[in-house]
Structure formats: structure tokens, C-alpha cells
């Protein structure tokens, strides 16, 4: 099913690894009947030769070459495109371009050749997720087809609801799984261990069912699967995604407990590096950082 949406922004450093993000952004633009804005940010003066890719050291006219490379990449896009090359700091330039074109999604990759790529799994993605109203899609895998198996890391909060809604826009026809990790406190001597665990599981299941009942966008489609596990969410999620071979994990930046609170912060880099698939980070609208 085609979902119409606003323009999609691709933030690219033009490295080979960023081609994966380009291919996914083009695929999503076609699926959503959306325009694609491809942005390349030139580093501010003072970058050393070690942080400058070879192709940029070969020409004094970096902007002209970058524009030509973007134009070549977008030549057979099949959707309306706009190539933008600007000077500045990556996050600021991305946010300015998103605002100018009214983009609804930010797509970027994990290349490590330039400043944008080197900071991607740390400061850049964290700042984007904290400041951008739009979801940020970090592309890690080579896209071969639309997303088929999507996992929503959830705690059933408002942030979780917005994460699920964002997932449906980029992967409407995919299999959706709600993944929730819950904590079982130290066992009480008066309550059998299995009974206590079962009680927490049943409570989480009731919350999951109530949560899904409050998502009108799910009407008319297969209901998401529900996976509930006891333990630390970061470890459990990585293992589940690896075993299931999911192609997209969606997480919010705000929530009540677990991964939705910690994903953007001290474990952001570890989480993104541990997950073998793409990650969609959704900032809760109206949230205060």
C-alpha cells in the first residue's frame, strides 16, 4: 500500500557506504510518492587531511564535484529530487534543510570517512534525535526490498505510540512486532517465583493489548505480534533481532522505562552498533529534553 508523505531528506557524505542510505531513501520515496532531498554537508575550514576523503583532496572545487556526484546518483531516481550542497556543521545544516523543504523523514548511513560519518553513531544521531521533530532512519543494511519485519521497542507510553505510527508510514505492509522487556523485582519469600513472574507477564500483556486497541492506524491490517521478555531491554532486543533477522527496529526517545529512555543517551552508540539492522529513532512530539 502506498503511503503519501512529505519530502524525505537524505544526509550523505558521498562515501561508498552511504550508497545504502541512498538506495533506501530512494526506495522509500517511491513507496511514499515523495520528493527526495539529497544533502551533502561540506566540513568547516580546519579539517585535517586525515578526515578528508581522497576524492575531495583531488580537487579544489569540492562543491562543484559534490553537486555533480549527487546529480549522477539521482539521475534515475524515478521521483522528484533536489540536490543540496552546503557549508556548515552537519547537524545544523541537516535541521536547516529539513525546515526549508518541510521534510517528514531524515535518512542517513553509517559511513566513517568524514566528520558526519565518524560522529554518526554518537553525537550526530543523538543531536538529531533530540532536536529534529522528524524521525531519523539510520541505514545499516543494503536494501534489497521494502521493510518486511519490523520490531517496535515499546513501553506502551505516548512515545511508543508515536514510534509505532512512524513505523507504519515507512513500512505499512511489514510484519510488526511489539517488543517489551519488563523487570521482575527480587522474589518475595511468600510468593513462588513462577507465580511472581507470571503475574508481571500477565500485567505486561494486558498493557500491550490495551495499547494496541488505542492505535486507530492498525484498523484493517494484521495485528502486531507481542513479545514480552523479562530482563534488560538492550541485551534482549539485540538477541531477538539477530535470531529473528528483523530488518528494522523502531525506538522512541522518551518513555516510561527501559530502552525508550536509555536509547538516546549513554547507550546510544552501543545499541546502534549492536543491532544488525536499520534503526528508526522517533522523537516524541512535544517532549522536553
Amino acid at each position: 500500500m502506498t503511503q503519501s508523505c512529505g519530502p524525505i531528506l537524505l544526509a550523505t557524505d558521498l562515501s561508498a557506504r552511504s550508497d545504502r542510505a541512498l538506495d533506501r531513501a530512494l526506495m522509500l520515496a517511491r513507496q511514499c510518492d515523495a520528493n527526495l532531498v539529497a544533502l551533502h554537508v561540506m566540513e568547516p575550514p580546519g579539517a585535517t587531511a586525515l578526515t578528508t576523503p581522497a576524492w575531495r583532496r583531488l580537487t579544489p572545487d569540492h562543491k562543484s564535484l559534490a553537486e555533480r556526484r549527487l546529480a549522477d546518483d539521482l539521475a534515475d531516481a524515478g521521483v522528484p529530487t533536489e540536490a543540496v550542497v552546503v557549508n556548515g556543521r552537519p547537524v545544523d545544516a541537516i535541521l536547516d534543510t529539513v525546515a526549508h523543504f518541510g521534510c517528514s523523514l531524515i535518512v542517513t548511513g553509517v559511513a566513517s570517512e568524514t566528520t558526519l560519518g565518524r560522529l554518526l553513531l554518537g553525537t550526530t544521531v543523538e543531536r538529531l534525535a533530540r532536536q529534529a521533530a522528524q524521525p531519523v532512519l539510520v541505514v545499516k543494511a543494503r536494501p534489497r526490498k521494502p521493510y518486511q519485519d519490523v520490531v517496535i521497542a515499546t513501553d506502551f507510553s505516548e512515545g511508543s505510540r508515536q514510534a509505532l505510527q512512524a513505523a507504519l508510514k515507512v513500512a505499512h505492509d511489514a510484519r510488526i512486532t511489539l517488543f517489551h522487556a519488563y523487570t521482575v523485582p527480587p522474589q518475595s519469600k511468600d510468593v513462588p517465583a513462577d507465580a511472581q513472574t507470571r503475574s508481571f507477564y500477565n500485567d505486561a500483556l494486558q498493557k500491550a493489548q490495551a495499547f494496541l486497541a488505542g492505535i486507530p492506524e492498525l484498523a484493517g491490517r494484521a495485528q502486531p505480534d507481542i513479545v514480552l521478555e523479562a530482563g534488560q531491554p538492550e541485551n534482549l532486543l539485540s538477541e531477538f533481532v539477530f535470531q529473528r533477522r528483523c530488518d528494522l527496529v523502531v525506538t522512541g526517545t522518551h518513555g516510561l522505562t527501559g530502552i525508550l529512555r536509555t536509547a538516546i543517551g549513554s547507550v546510544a552508540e552501543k545499541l546502534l552498533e549492536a543491532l544488525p539492522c536499520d534503526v528508526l529513532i522517533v522523537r516524541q512530539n512535544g517532549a522536553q529534553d
Side-chain angles (χ1 to χ4, degrees):
M1 180 181 297
T2 300
Q3 297 287 297
S4 180
C5 60
I8 294 172
L9 176 77
L10 167 69
T12 176
D13 64 5
L14 298 177
S15 68
R17 186 71 180 265
S18 287
D19 288 348
R20 296 182 177 189
L22 168 66
D23 292 344
R24 178 60 71 181
L26 285 170
M27 187 180 295
L28 289 172
R30 296 179 190 121
Q31 288 175 236
C32 300
D33 191 25
N35 293 5
L36 177 64
V37 179
L39 169 68
H40 175 66
V41 182
M42 297 186 294
E43 296 178 69
T48 67
L50 291 177
T51 62
T52 304
W55 68 268
R56 280 171 44 184
R57 297 197 296 269
L58 296 176
T59 173
D61 191 359
H62 169 201
K63 186 172 189 296
S64 177
L65 180 56
E67 290 172 340
R68 186 164 73 247
R69 291 186 59 161
L70 275 180
D72 290 342
D73 286 342
L74 301 174
D76 300 317
V79 294
T81 62
E82 183 89 22
V84 179
V85 179
V86 297
N87 286 297
R89 300 187 179 279
V91 173
D92 296 336
I94 290 169
L95 294 177
D96 288 345
T97 306
V98 164
H100 178 77
F101 288 95
C103 298
S104 61
L105 175 69
I106 299 170
V107 181
T108 191
V110 292
S112 58
E113 193 174 38
T114 68
T115 297
L116 175 60
R118 190 174 63 252
L119 298 179
L120 183 58
L121 293 182
T123 306
T124 299
V125 154
E126 184 169 342
R127 284 193 61 200
L128 281 175
R130 287 189 180 281
Q131 298 179 38
Q134 298 75 15
V136 178
L137 176 62
V138 182
V139 178
K140 304 178 71 175
R142 179 173 292 107
R144 296 178 174 86
K145 55 188 175 182
Y147 291 121
Q148 303 291 305
D149 200 336
V150 178
V151 177
I152 316 293
T154 179
D155 64 357
F156 317 127
S157 65
E158 173 61 19
S160 296
R161 184 182 70 81
Q162 293 181 19
L164 176 53
Q165 291 170 329
L168 291 173
K169 290 181 180 179
V170 302
H172 188 273
D173 296 323
R175 175 185 182 182
I176 302 291
T177 299
L178 289 188
F179 184 94
H180 174 71
Y182 58 95
T183 301
V184 178
Q187 299 175 7
S188 170
K189 295 181 180 179
D190 299 327
V191 181
D194 59 342
Q196 187 175 24
T197 301
R198 185 166 58 252
S199 174
F200 277 88
Y201 176 89
N202 290 336
D203 179 65
L205 181 59
Q206 291 180 1
K207 290 179 179 178
Q209 293 169 339
F211 173 79
L212 291 176
I215 309 292
E217 291 85 351
L218 292 174
R221 60 160 291 147
Q223 286 294 294
D225 299 330
I226 299 174
V227 175
L228 308 171
E229 296 191 12
Q232 293 299 316
E234 305 93 83
N235 299 332
L236 293 172
L237 178 62
S238 298
E239 179 65 19
F240 176 80
V241 169
F242 178 78
Q243 295 295 337
R244 173 82 162 258
R245 301 185 69 179
C246 308
D247 48 17
L248 178 66
V249 168
V250 184
T251 180
T253 62
H254 294 77
L256 302 175
T257 59
I259 200 166
L260 293 182
R261 181 169 296 283
T262 61
I264 301 304
S266 61
V267 304
E269 185 169 347
K270 293 180 181 178
L271 179 62
L272 285 173
E273 288 179 346
L275 292 172
C277 63
D278 296 357
V279 181
L280 181 66
I281 303 170
V282 182
R283 180 178 183 270
Q284 181 178 328
N285 290 337
Q288 299 295 318
D289 291 309

